[in-house]
Amino acid sequence: MAWNLDSQRPIYAQIIERVQYDIVSGHYNPGDKLPSVRELACEASVNPNTMQKALSELEQSGLVYSQRTTGRFITKDTSCIRKIREELAKQQVLEMIRRMKQLGFTKEETLTLMDKIYEEATYEHTIGV
Amino acid sequence: MSTLLECKNLSKRYEKGMALSDLNLKLESGRIIGLLGPNGSGKTTLLKLINGLLVPTSGEVRILGNTPGVETKSVISYLPDQTYLSANQKVTQIIDTFADFYADFDRSRAYHMLQKLNIQPSERLKTMSKGTQEKVQLILVMSRRAKLYCLDEPIAGVDPAARDYILTTILNNYAEDATILISTHLIQDIENILDEVVVLQNGKLKLQASVEDIRMERGVSIDTMFREVFKC
């Protein structure tokens, strides 16, 4: 279905990640209105109560705010969005470091390899950089 | 959240033995609940007791405080495991009957869903495929504005694309304070829309838990949990 969710992990946590990613990547702009809980639940094919819970947590983190009667909006606080962006990037890097360590790579080897692959990929236009 | 349905020491004995024994269960309003269990665990028996098609051997079931009867039937929309509609009827005629019978039936909703699933209202049931007949029945049941929907294996006979549409239909069409009780073996297909599961085994309550709690505590999907618990 529309959202690719993993049934082995709590759904609300995955919804939070997905909306964070949509905000950071510019799918939603600061100040944009979010669809209603019901609409989002249908789009994602998830339980509306679960969607509600995820949005409440996003609200508590400050990334989303709600205005009585008019709905939920993406924060206009771009520093908050930058912070989340850095946090998401950090998680990705940590995950990569962990895997490289499992493969027996040192920090220097990892950095050298990264540099090399980045250059190659840029040259071959295989990544959008 | 208020209690919508309560079973107290509910038992049902058939000639061959106990189908349900001493079941105690409370369901709240505003939830989507999966009714799971291996074949013969008592799912259909429970749904029939809730809908007054069977009488308990002992114990009781109450819906909003009432035992099954005229009042509960006006607030419960039930999709049985076998059809009771006459194959000779056209969809339009069945819709008329439902509208006549149930004060909470919403005609426009039914016609809208038929159109979405490309079903001709002028067609007779007997000329339709099994899957299409099942879709028609589910549309009829979901077109009521009920407090409790009891769906006995609603998606078993339909193709995966229609299954997706049906699940979205369920999500779109129930009021926030209504509860949907779905019995199914197709756990993977529906688990993301559930709030909680009620698992039966040999006529007894094996587990009642929130699906997110199960994922958090056990780190597995509901489908995987079911396969592990009931491994043959």
Side-chain angles (χ1 to χ4, degrees), chain B:
Chain B
M1 299 259 178
S2 56
T3 303
L4 178 66
L5 179 144
E6 187 167 14
C7 301
K8 277 190 199 152
N9 308 107
L10 184 66
S11 298
K12 180 65 191 177
R13 178 193 294 279
Y14 294 132
E15 256 176 54
K16 60 180 165 66
M18 298 299 283
L20 275 185
S21 46
D22 212 22
L23 183 74
N24 288 295
L25 183 68
K26 259 189 199 181
L27 302 182
E28 289 176 343
S29 56
R31 317 271 283 167
I32 305 179
I33 303 165
L35 178 60
L36 313 178
N39 297 320
S41 55
K43 302 185 294 291
T44 295
T45 299
L46 175 61
L47 292 176
K48 284 182 174 172
L49 286 165
I50 292 170
N51 287 282
L53 299 185
L54 292 172
V55 181
T57 307
S58 62
E60 62 171 18
V61 52
R62 286 184 181 271
I63 301 97
L64 292 170
N66 296 309
T67 52
V70 177
E71 270 150 51
T72 65
K73 284 179 190 192
S74 69
V75 294
I76 305 178
S77 192
Y78 174 44
L79 180 76
D81 61 338
Q82 277 166 356
T83 183
Y84 55 92
L85 300 171
S86 154
N88 234 340
Q89 282 194 306
K90 291 177 182 168
V91 179
T92 48
Q93 294 173 311
I94 306 172
I95 287 178
D96 288 345
T97 310
F98 264 68
D100 215 21
F101 222 78
Y102 299 111
D104 60 359
F105 188 80
D106 184 342
R107 251 175 220 277
S108 60
R109 206 194 254 189
Y111 280 111
H112 178 74
M113 285 192 259
L114 286 170
Q115 194 194 356
K116 271 278 201 174
L117 282 169
N118 283 320
I119 300 170
Q120 292 301 324
S122 57
E123 211 180 321
R124 290 178 202 279
L125 271 189
K126 64 177 175 188
T127 64
M128 297 174 179
S129 71
K130 187 164 169 279
T132 307
Q133 290 180 15
E134 288 189 13
K135 286 178 207 167
V136 170
Q137 288 184 64
L138 188 71
I139 287 171
L140 292 166
V141 167
M142 290 313 295
S143 296
R144 287 185 55 194
R145 298 184 181 275
K147 295 262 194 303
L148 174 64
Y149 298 86
C150 290
L151 313 178
D152 199 349
E153 285 285 352
I155 53 173
V158 303
D159 64 80
R163 241 173 247 174
D164 285 358
Y165 176 74
I166 285 169
L167 291 182
T168 322
T169 305
I170 290 174
L171 285 178
N172 260 324
N173 284 290
Y174 83 107
E176 260 166 48
D177 61 343
T179 280
I180 307 177
L181 184 59
I182 311 176
S183 117
T184 189
H185 293 300
L186 297 166
I187 304 172
Q188 236 171 352
D189 283 339
I190 69 152
E191 66 168 84
N192 285 0
I193 72 159
L194 299 179
D195 282 291
E196 64 181 69
V197 286
V198 168
V199 184
L200 299 180
Q201 184 178 26
N202 298 326
K204 293 195 169 75
L205 183 66
K206 171 99 178 163
L207 174 76
Q208 181 178 15
S210 131
V211 291
E212 290 281 81
D213 286 351
I214 292 173
R215 292 187 188 110
M216 210 138 24
E217 284 160 19
R218 308 191 191 205
V220 297
S221 68
I222 311 308
D223 186 70
T224 308
M225 181 204 71
F226 187 92
R227 287 170 201 263
E228 281 170 4
V229 171
F230 294 110
K231 198 168 179 210
C232 298

Side-chain angles (χ1 to χ4, degrees), chain A residues 11 23-25 57 59 62 65 97 105 107 110 114 126 128:
Chain A
I11 302 295
I23 296 171
V24 163
S25 67
E57 282 210 15
E59 229 172 85
Y65 67 96
I97 292 173
F105 278 76
K107 181 183 168 190
T110 305
M114 242 197 68
T126 48

